[in-house]
Structures are given as C-alpha cells and as structure tokens.
Amino acid sequence: MAAAATPGPAPDPHGGPTPGGGAAPSARSLQGLSPELTARLPQLLEAMRSVGTGLELHNTLDRICETAAQLADARYAALGVVDEDGKGLSDFVYYGVDEATASLIGRLPDGQRGLLGALIHQPEPVLLADLTADPRSYGFPPHHPPMRSFLGVPVRVQEEIFGNLYLAEKRGGREFSVHDRDMVRVLATEAGIAIGNARLYDAAKQRERWIDGSVAVTTALLSGGDAEDALQVVAEQARRLSGSAAGIVSLPADEGGLEIVAVSSEHASGLLGAVVPPESRAVAELLDGKAVFVDDAATDPRLITDLSRDYGPMMMLPLQSGGRVLGGLVTPRARGARPFTESERTLATQFASQAALALMMAEAQRDRERLAVYEDRDRIARDLHDLVIQRLFATGMMLESAQRKSVVPEVQDGVSKAVDELDVTIQEIRTAIFALQQGPAEAPSSLRTRMLREINMAAVPLGFTPSYRFTGPVDAVVGEMTGKNLIAALREALSNAFRHAGASRIEVVVDAGVTLPDGRQGVRLTVSDDGVGIPEGGRRSGLKNLKRRAQSLGGDSWHGPGIGEDGRGTTLVWQAAC
C-alpha cells in the first residue's frame, strides 16, 4: 500500500497552477520536469488540446475522463462533480465501464462516504497502490469491476472545487507513478478552464431556452385563444425547460386549496381536476406567494396527498404578479433524479413570474373583449326594445283600427290573425332581449339555453320545431332546483305530445313573472298542442308525477283543452316557486 504521494515539482500548494490564467500558468507548471515527463510532453499537450475542444458541459466531462485515462494509461476514469453545498456528488461521469456493467451496478456514487467522500472534504492529490487497503475505502457494490491502483486529483474552476478526477487500474498491473500524478494535475488545470468555459456557455444557453419558453407562453396567452390551451402551454414549457417528469398548473379551487387545471406528463391520468387541500403546508406557502423547493416529494411532510408519491425533487412556484397570486406552477422530477440547481430554481421562478404577468394581461384582454361584447348586446337590446317593439305595437294598433272599420268578415279574421302573430313576435323579441341581457356567468349553461336544447331535441321525432316564448328574466330568478324540475316537466310534456297526441302544432311558454297563490314569485310552464287530447281512462302516471314535482316546490300542475279547433288537444300547465 502506498500513502498519498509527496507533492511534485509544481509550486502551487494545491498541486497545480491557478486555473483561469490560460497557457502561462500551465507553462510555468511544466518547468523543472524530469526527462521522463519531458518525453511525454507532446502527449500532454495533445491531451490539453483535446480537453479544451467544445463547449457542451457533459461532452466536456466525458472528454476529460477519456483523455485522462489515455494520458495515464488507466483502464478506468471518472469525474465526480461536487454538489452546491459541498457535501456530496451531484454528477458522476465515468469512462471504461460498459453500459451493461453500469446497469448491473445500479446507482452511481453519491460521495457521501468512502474514499470518494474523503476526497471531497480533503481535495488534495491521492496516489494509492491498493485502494482496497486504504482505511477510507468503503468497498465496492456488487458487479463492480475490481480496482487496485488509484490516482485522485481535484479539479478547480475559478479557485473553487468543481470536483475530483479519479483514475484506477493502470494497465499492465502497474502502479501510478509520481510522473502520472504530475501529468494529470496539469491536465486537471486545463480541465478546470475548459469546464469553466463550458459552464458559462451552458448557463447562457439555458437562459436563452427559458427566455424562448417565456416568449412562447406570452404569445399563447395573448393570442386570444382558449384559456385552457394557454395554460397547457405553460405546463408543457415548464416541464421541457426544467427537465422534469411533469409540468403542472393549478388555480385556486372554490372549496379552498389548489385545483390542477393543466398537466404535461406522460402519465397525466388522475392529476387533471384533482384538488390539493388547503391543509397542505406547501399549498399554504404557495398561496402566500412563497416558492417551495422539495428534495423528495414522496417523503416531505408538507405534501399530504398521494399525488406526490411517485416524484423526487420538486419545485412549487407561485404564479404571482403585482402582489396577486393567480395559482401555482409545479415541476416534479422522478424519484432518484438529481435535485434542481440554484440556477434552475432562479430561472424557473422568473419564468413563473413572466407567465403570471402574461396570465394577468390575457385576463385583462379577455375582460375588455367581453365588455365590448356586452356593451354591444346592451345596445342591441335597447334598440329592439325602444325601436322595433314600439313599431310593432304601432302596427298592431293600426291593424286593430282597420279591423274595426272593416265590414267584411274575412278581412276582420285576417287582420285578427295578423295582430295575434304580432303579439307572438313581440314576445319572442322580448325573449331575445332577456337573453342578450344575461351576465357572462349565466350565458354558457343558462336555464333558457338548456330548455331551448330540449325543444330542439324534440323537433327530431316530432318532425317540426315547437314554437316557444319566454317571458320575464327566466335565468335570473329561477333557482337551480326549480330549474332542474322545470326542464324535466318540459321533457315529459314534449314526450307525451310526440308519443300519444299525434300533434302537428305545439306551443311552449315559460313565464317567470307569475305570482303564486301564497304570494311567492313563481315560474309557469305551459305546453299546448292540437293533438287527440287525453283519452278517458288513459294512464295518468306521468301527469301525477309532474303534479308531485310541482307541489314539492310549492306549486301545482294541471291540464286543460288544447289549441286545436274547438279546443282539440291538450294544454299542460306546470308551475312552481322560483
């Protein structure tokens, strides 16, 4: 066994020239080399040139390992990257171990123990003839190839320890020499410079990607498209940019907590629509405008739902702008994945702020567009009420005057029908006015809309569309329970008219301005047809059911003559308290 070797000829106390100084420090470190090292100088210079080629960080680390192994004639090489807190390894790049063997070995070293951990806390060159005999050695995991001779050299970037370069198993069963150590120390100096440049390049490219992602999100949100599609873009971009297993956007739920409204993941089932309860400390912090960073989502006590059990490192970022928290952006990585770096956390937080600002701008834009639509609808409603209806009233009065002056019965009947049609037209226009005056929250699924859907559906089996008229603010005054039963009553009445009445004409009237016998405001549904009417002794179960529904809501139901000649047909009346 050999202890750590004595320092070589390099004057630097760390065993190499100060990185960042370019070729001059490296040249000074070559002064006073032995003849053996001088003979290997061309090989060293070629190795330094190879290490400095390219800017992509991970490729640079791979190249350093391969070049160091060739320079020292080692069978295996690895470069362990020290994590930000300096207590373990955040990355481990290796050379000489094939993928099949690496798969059998399993998890990469974390630097928390053994010889690798010791080199993190004491970053000095180490030269060993048999690493298994060193008291700091922890042993090898199953399927690990045997290793005896060992050479470890720290790699510094800008005076800070970036990691350690490890070489093992010099070919031919030999031991690493002091000359090997000195050569690798010089190479490590050049590697530090190359790594520093690669990290700067990687950081610049990373910032560029996050900026492009923010632009894509802003464009999607302000393009005037569907809000759900825009939120999906936020989730997809966050997942892609952060290298996460999923991108999740959540908004405040009505019952408290956060509801997941957009998910980008290969396994999104069960996530969309789920609500994370307000009892979760992470949710409370998020809604308070604080970013939450989790090392292991499966075990963190702040996360109390089963949704996090499949994830490891996680960022939970508030979508916050102008002091207002709109929701949350969550980017979890898989179990066992590397944690998020400080740079990734900063960029992701900035991305979330930009997305929140774009959300607010998009919301304001949609509000302006909706306001313009409602203003236009109000104008149309006023014009219909003040102009069209008044003219129709005037026309009706003129026709009634002409009717009184005429002595021809046929003319009187024709004018009377025209006046009746004008009355129906006025009621239909009033219905349209009420529809135009509905608020934004009522329009998509209003009671009026649902009843019109029933009428239009009935037109298919009937072969014609029933005429209809709405009186009063139906959507504004009729409650949810009464509305559901009102639709059921309409469906039953239309079904009876199709199956039993053989009607050719059906009229539907919904009046929301009814006063019930007990003085309460009510709604009345009247469905009239010109069919065969209700036969004596026929089944009355449907009518009894309608009456029971109405009475349970403080109303009543009855039937009478229809709208055919001599009262042929049936008129069904159903009314209930609003």
Side-chain angles (χ1 to χ4, degrees):
M1 180 186 71
T6 56
D12 189 282
H14 296 293
T18 303
S26 297
R28 285 195 298 270
S29 69
L30 300 177
Q31 295 175 0
L33 291 179
S34 66
E36 180 181 347
L37 286 180
T38 303
R40 296 172 65 182
L41 185 58
Q43 182 185 6
L44 174 61
L45 293 176
E46 176 60 25
M48 294 172 63
R49 185 201 64 78
S50 175
V51 165
T53 304
L55 288 173
E56 204 280 326
L57 181 57
H58 212 275
N59 289 342
T60 299
L61 300 181
D62 286 334
R63 195 164 50 250
I64 291 171
C65 288
E66 182 178 359
T67 303
Q70 294 172 352
L71 181 64
D73 201 20
R75 187 180 301 274
Y76 306 107
L79 202 160
V81 180
V82 179
D83 58 24
E84 292 182 350
D85 57 12
K87 296 180 180 179
L89 298 177
S90 62
D91 199 2
F92 191 82
V93 181
Y94 54 87
Y95 168 80
V97 179
D98 59 78
E99 292 301 322
T101 303
S103 178
L104 291 173
I105 294 173
R107 188 172 182 179
L108 295 173
D110 57 11
Q112 299 291 332
R113 55 193 175 183
L115 186 58
L116 301 187
L119 290 176
I120 293 175
H121 301 293
Q122 296 177 343
E124 297 293 336
V126 173
L127 188 62
L128 300 174
D130 185 359
L131 64 89
T132 61
D134 190 274
R136 296 169 292 182
S137 178
Y138 188 78
F140 297 117
H143 309 291
H144 195 286
M147 296 181 182
R148 296 180 64 86
S149 55
F150 177 82
L151 171 60
V153 176
V155 177
R156 290 179 171 83
V157 177
Q158 300 295 332
E159 298 295 341
E160 295 182 0
I161 293 295
F162 173 82
N164 289 292
L165 183 60
Y166 313 110
L167 301 174
E169 279 298 288
K170 189 173 177 70
R171 296 182 185 277
R174 297 171 293 160
E175 300 177 12
F176 292 107
S177 65
V178 175
H179 302 306
D180 291 326
R181 182 203 61 191
D182 293 339
M183 295 275 284
V184 174
R185 287 165 70 186
V186 174
L187 181 66
T189 300
E190 185 65 26
I193 298 172
I195 291 171
N197 292 336
R199 291 173 78 178
L200 290 173
Y201 176 78
D202 189 62
K205 294 296 290 184
Q206 190 178 44
R207 283 194 296 270
E208 182 181 353
R209 289 193 298 270
W210 281 96
I211 291 173
D212 290 343
S214 297
V215 171
V217 167
T218 303
T219 302
L221 289 170
L222 299 182
S223 62
D226 187 79
E228 292 183 2
D229 292 340
L231 292 176
Q232 185 65 28
V233 172
V234 175
E236 291 172 355
Q237 290 291 339
R239 176 195 177 194
R240 179 182 67 86
L241 294 169
S242 64
S244 300
I248 303 170
V249 177
S250 55
L251 299 179
D254 294 336
E255 63 271 28
L258 291 171
E259 179 183 359
I260 297 176
V261 297
V263 179
S264 173
S265 174
E266 294 181 359
H267 309 287
S269 59
L271 291 177
L272 194 63
V275 176
V276 184
E279 291 79 15
S280 170
R281 281 194 292 148
V283 169
E285 292 181 33
L286 202 61
L287 292 176
D288 199 33
K290 300 175 182 177
V292 179
F293 301 105
V294 176
D295 293 330
D296 187 1
T299 59
D300 195 293
R302 293 174 294 179
L303 305 175
I304 62 175
T305 66
D306 293 336
L307 301 176
S308 59
R309 66 178 182 272
D310 296 327
Y311 298 114
M314 178 184 291
M315 291 190 292
M316 302 179 67
L317 309 169
L319 293 172
Q320 180 177 226
S321 182
R324 177 186 172 193
V325 178
L326 305 178
L329 175 63
V330 182
T331 57
R333 283 178 174 164
R335 298 282 316 262
R338 65 175 180 84
F340 293 98
T341 65
E342 192 64 35
S343 175
E344 288 174 326
R345 294 180 178 186
T346 300
L347 290 170
T349 301
Q350 294 172 349
F351 172 85
S353 297
Q354 180 67 26
L357 178 60
L359 279 170
M360 290 189 65
M361 294 174 63
E363 183 180 1
Q365 177 176 296
R366 285 191 291 271
D367 286 344
R368 289 193 297 270
E369 292 172 353
R370 280 195 294 265
L371 181 60
V373 170
Y374 294 132
E375 288 178 345
D376 202 36
R377 287 170 57 173
D378 285 343
R379 179 188 58 78
I380 294 172
R382 287 194 303 270
D383 290 346
L384 286 173
H385 183 272
D386 297 341
L387 301 178
V388 178
I389 289 181
Q390 296 300 329
R391 289 185 179 181
L392 290 176
F393 265 126
T395 302
M397 293 175 66
M398 292 172 60
L399 288 173
E400 288 178 343
S401 176
Q403 181 187 29
R404 289 192 295 269
K405 295 178 181 179
S406 176
V407 295
V408 181
E410 290 81 0
V411 174
Q412 290 180 337
D413 291 341
V415 172
S416 178
K417 290 181 179 179
V419 171
D420 291 341
E421 288 297 325
L422 282 177
D423 288 339
V424 172
T425 302
I426 290 172
Q427 291 297 326
E428 290 177 346
I429 292 176
R430 282 177 171 167
T431 297
I433 291 173
F434 280 120
L436 287 170
Q437 291 175 336
Q438 297 305 309
E442 300 165 329
S445 58
S446 66
L447 177 60
R448 187 189 308 266
T449 301
R450 285 179 283 169
M451 297 192 74
L452 288 176
R453 187 182 300 121
E454 293 292 334
I455 293 172
N456 291 328
M457 288 175 63
V460 176
L462 286 169
F464 62 91
T465 302
S467 64
Y468 57 88
R469 183 170 75 252
F470 291 87
T471 302
V474 175
D475 294 323
V477 301
V478 180
E480 183 64 25
M481 183 59 66
T482 300
K484 290 180 179 179
N485 284 275
L486 182 64
I487 292 174
L490 173 62
R491 187 181 299 125
E492 176 72 17
L494 292 174
S495 176
N496 288 337
F498 162 66
R499 290 182 298 169
H500 308 301
S504 61
R505 178 184 170 202
I506 299 176
E507 294 180 355
V508 178
V509 178
V510 182
D511 187 357
V514 175
T515 301
L516 300 179
D518 59 3
R520 287 186 295 172
Q521 185 177 8
V523 59
R524 178 181 295 157
L525 168 67
T526 305
V527 180
S528 305
D529 65 63
D530 61 353
V532 298
I534 300 176
E536 293 293 331
R539 294 180 60 188
R540 301 281 197 284
S541 58
L543 296 176
K544 291 179 180 178
N545 186 42
L546 289 176
K547 190 176 187 70
R548 187 166 55 251
R549 283 175 179 267
Q551 290 175 343
S552 68
L553 295 169
D556 200 358
S557 179
W558 64 88
H559 64 275
I563 55 176
E565 292 183 4
D566 301 324
R568 187 168 59 89
T570 304
T571 295
L572 174 67
V573 181
W574 187 94
Q575 68 182 23
C578 291

